[in-house]
Amino acid sequence: MSLNDFILTNEVPIRLGCFLGVFGVMALWELMSPRRRLQTSKAVRWTNNLGLVFFNSFVLRLVFPAAAVGMAVFARGQGWGLCNYLEAPFWLAVPASVVIMDFFIWLQHVMVHAVPLLWRLHRVHHADLDIDVTTGARFHTLEILLSMLIKFAVILLLGPPVAAVVIFEVVLNATAMFNHGNVRIPETLDRLLRLVVVTPDMHRVHHSIEDDETNSNFGFNLPWWDRLFGTYRAQPRAGHVAMTIGIRTFRADKWCSWLPGMLAIPFVGKVQDYAINRRQWKSTHEQ
Ligand SMILES: [Zn+2]
Ligand SMILES: [Zn+2]
């Protein structure tokens, strides 16, 4: 059985096993060596954040039952996408596809911050008043569906091997849980890790309440894109313990910590407010 076939037939246990394994390790690590004191009780955070994650998995299966893997199989069957067209060898197509897909996730992340309508969806991720392992998968259902559509388009253009799609999704899932972890990592080790992966300290800058800090460190997995495109910021100005996490406009538990509020966040506020906010942002940053 080839690696492709093995991954295709065992996709669900591979994904679930990795998710539970990494989640367990991070949860223990957070208990033993937390980086910050949580603002909201862990019971409330976990019930609601994980509630959203389960709800999203259910909706995603319902709307796109074949998911990204199905699209990769389809592209291969049609001979569509760069890898299929060039008949790229497996050993090259897998790592190249993983890196290229990671770049598109980075680009998508920049886009959901830049486009006001999409920022409404992405606010759900940022409205969390703390960040911990559960924040890593806390996204509005519509953002999850949009991500899948973008992934479909990338897969059709790229034609990655099925193994690359599963590896990418498993690795992204694992690194998202890792870099949202409320864990302490010695500075020297953090500096070394940052050369190859986005660390918790690096991603925490992105969850700052300060606009310029939020608009940096968009990477979820590979740290290179931010350095390459000038959006890298090493540390938050206020330091990791004193910094405020979240967004200014949503501070109440009703929106930030409870599932019904989180699902409602994209529909709160007038579109006009964003034009004003963006003008304010521009004027403070162009001084
Ligand atoms: Zn973001
Ligand atoms: Zn995040």
Side-chain angles (χ1 to χ4, degrees):
M1 187 188 264
S2 72
L3 180 63
N4 237 358
D5 292 339
F6 175 80
I7 288 182
L8 195 55
T9 40
N10 295 292
E11 192 205 341
V12 175
I14 291 173
R15 294 170 72 119
L16 201 64
C18 289
F19 171 77
L20 292 175
V22 176
F23 188 91
V25 169
M26 291 311 297
L28 267 179
W29 192 353
E30 286 183 347
L31 268 181
M32 287 178 343
S33 178
R35 182 72 154 120
R36 291 165 54 94
R37 222 165 56 88
L38 296 180
Q39 309 278 312
T40 321
S41 88
K42 202 174 244 195
V44 171
R45 296 180 45 67
W46 281 34
T47 318
N48 287 274
N49 283 0
L50 293 177
L52 181 59
V53 175
F54 285 121
F55 176 68
N56 287 344
S57 316
F58 175 73
V59 174
L60 199 61
R61 276 277 156 197
L62 208 67
V63 180
F64 300 122
V69 165
M71 194 52 91
V73 173
F74 173 76
R76 170 131 306 198
Q78 302 293 317
W80 290 356
L82 204 61
C83 294
N84 294 324
Y85 183 72
L86 296 176
E87 292 176 3
F90 189 73
W91 62 266
L92 177 66
V94 171
S97 299
V98 169
V99 172
I100 293 171
M101 284 189 281
D102 190 67
F103 170 70
F104 277 101
I105 288 283
W106 177 86
L107 201 59
Q108 178 190 333
H109 193 185
V110 173
M111 184 180 78
V112 296
H113 275 257
V115 179
L117 191 68
L118 302 180
W119 168 243
R120 282 177 171 251
L121 302 179
H122 191 56
R123 287 192 298 197
V124 176
H125 181 65
H126 282 268
D128 205 340
L129 299 172
D130 298 294
I131 39 174
D132 72 3
V133 59
T134 61
T135 316
R138 173 190 146 133
F139 291 93
H140 195 274
T141 319
L142 294 174
E143 186 173 2
I144 292 282
L145 294 175
L146 174 76
S147 294
M148 191 51 90
L149 285 175
I150 292 172
K151 212 178 283 172
F152 283 171
V154 172
I155 289 171
L156 287 179
L157 287 172
L158 188 62
V162 171
V165 174
V166 179
I167 291 170
F168 173 69
E169 292 198 312
V170 166
V171 169
L172 185 70
N173 191 250
T175 49
M177 285 191 281
F178 166 67
N179 62 44
H180 285 87
N182 181 29
V183 293
R184 200 187 300 268
I185 295 178
E187 217 180 298
T188 333
L189 179 61
D190 182 274
R191 217 173 307 135
L192 281 175
L193 283 173
R194 273 186 201 205
L195 298 175
V196 285
V197 70
V198 174
T199 63
D201 276 8
M202 181 176 163
H203 191 69
R204 196 173 299 103
V205 179
H206 181 72
H207 280 263
S208 163
I209 199 168
E210 303 295 340
D211 288 338
D212 56 337
E213 293 181 341
T214 308
N215 286 300
S216 63
N217 298 4
F218 293 96
F220 278 122
N221 187 15
L222 297 173
W224 312 327
W225 314 120
D226 285 302
R227 292 184 190 252
L228 202 62
F229 292 95
T231 48
Y232 176 72
R233 194 177 283 264
Q235 309 294 344
R237 274 186 297 275
H240 287 280
V241 176
M243 71 184 287
T244 307
I245 303 282
I247 27 185
R248 263 177 233 289
T249 39
F250 293 95
R251 304 307 299 168
D253 273 338
K254 177 189 166 197
W255 302 113
C256 305
S257 311
W258 293 93
L259 187 50
M262 286 183 219
L263 286 171
I265 280 182
F267 311 102
V268 176
K270 291 189 182 118
V271 175
Q272 187 63 22
D273 296 345
Y274 292 93
I276 294 165
N277 282 345
R278 285 182 71 76
R279 268 206 300 280
Q280 279 172 352
W281 190 87
K282 273 182 108 171
S283 65
T284 48
H285 286 79
E286 283 167 4
Q287 278 164 6

